[in-house]
Amino acid sequence: MTRAPGELWRSTVGRKALVALSGLVLWVWVILHVFGNLTLFSGAAAADGYAEALQRAPAALWAVRAGLAVAAAVHVVAVASLARVARAARPRHESRAAREPGALAARSMRVGGVALLGFIVYHLLHLTLGVAHPGFRPGHVYDNVVLGLRPTWVAAVYLGAAALLGLHLFHGLWAAIRSLGLRPGVAGRRRRPAVALLSGAIAAGFAAIPLAVLAGWLR
Ligand code: HEM
């Protein structure tokens, strides 16, 4: 079954499938980013060399960036559109308790998602463009990260984002499985701890960097 994206967009089921598929693309990218970040533990030469190697393949780098931007835009716009539909369908004075089960989880995903989006904007200004980083030097990824995360409040922002991302990935993957009609069943539900472990490992991988800077292991 192949359907044009336009056709998928027209139904709420199709838009849920687009949220799920774009979410899966973002999942894969986040795993790659954690592995990229771990080069920081091998020192400045390894981390700066890794970033430089990416710059030496500009076509591939920009293709990945474009794919990432499209996936993120589809994800956010489809979620916003589904939220509008859900709001319009809800009786005006419905109590919180009477709302559909899962409505609270969906709402927390949206609130968490908006917070993550805010973090990503700050993060790009901080470590990619350097405009929110007083000591930023282009190409010096290791120094930019270590100096940039030294203030406790900045490290706390990154730690909060890592925790939020772990929760978002965990709940998002289950929602995606349901949206794509892949009923998890009993066998699938038994894999929940494995999904929790993977999401937790990604969160821990991101959190390791600010923690190592605060502890003075990365300096
Ligand atoms: C402690 C955690 C993190 C560290 C140390 C970190 C580090 C970095 C660095 C150094 C860059 C710039 C790379 C370069 O210019 O060569 C970057 C880019 C980026 N990061 Fe992170 N990051 C972290 C967490 C996150 C999280 C949680 C997200 C999103 C959920 C994220 C999303 C991005 C994006 C979208 C880019 C731009 C990629 C590009 O320009 O191609 N990062 N990160």
Side-chain angles (χ1 to χ4, degrees), residues 13 15-27 75 109 168-184 192 195:
V13 172
R15 260 172 283 166
K16 281 186 183 177
L18 286 173
V19 172
L21 291 171
S22 54
L24 293 177
V25 171
L26 296 170
W27 242 96
H75 200 73
M109 281 298 277
H168 199 84
L169 290 174
F170 175 66
H171 290 292
L173 191 59
W174 283 103
I177 288 170
R178 281 195 305 275
S179 299
L180 294 174
L182 309 169
R183 285 163 203 271
R192 244 176 125 81
V195 175

Side-chain angles (χ1 to χ4, degrees), residues 29 33 37 65 119 123-124 127-128 141 145 158 206 209-210:
W29 185 82
H33 192 19
N37 280 355
R65 282 176 170 168
F119 165 76
H123 180 47
L124 292 178
L127 289 180
T128 298
V141 173
V145 170
Y158 276 79
F206 277 125
I209 310 288

Side-chain angles (χ1 to χ4, degrees), residues 53-71:
L54 293 181
Q55 298 292 343
R56 275 200 302 267
L61 181 64
W62 282 102
V64 170
R65 282 176 170 168
L68 188 63
V70 169

Side-chain angles (χ1 to χ4, degrees), residues 10 13 17 62-63 96 100 106 120 134 144 175-177 181-182 214:
R10 276 191 283 279
V13 172
W62 282 102
R96 265 168 198 274
E100 227 185 285
I120 291 168
N144 290 339
I177 288 170
L182 309 169
L214 284 181

Side-chain angles (χ1 to χ4, degrees), residues 28-116:
V28 172
W29 185 82
V30 155
I31 292 174
L32 296 177
H33 192 19
V34 171
F35 279 109
N37 280 355
L38 294 181
T39 60
L40 290 160
F41 286 106
S42 303
D48 294 0
Y50 171 69
E52 208 185 305
L54 293 181
Q55 298 292 343
R56 275 200 302 267
L61 181 64
W62 282 102
V64 170
R65 282 176 170 168
L68 188 63
V70 169
V74 167
H75 200 73
V76 171
V77 175
V79 167
S81 149
L82 287 166
R84 252 194 327 269
V85 171
R87 215 175 304 121
R90 202 185 305 138
R92 283 197 102 212
H93 301 293
E94 188 183 30
S95 74
R96 265 168 198 274
R99 282 183 198 166
E100 227 185 285
L104 189 65
R107 204 177 131 75
S108 336
M109 281 298 277
R110 289 200 294 267
V111 172
V114 170
L116 275 174

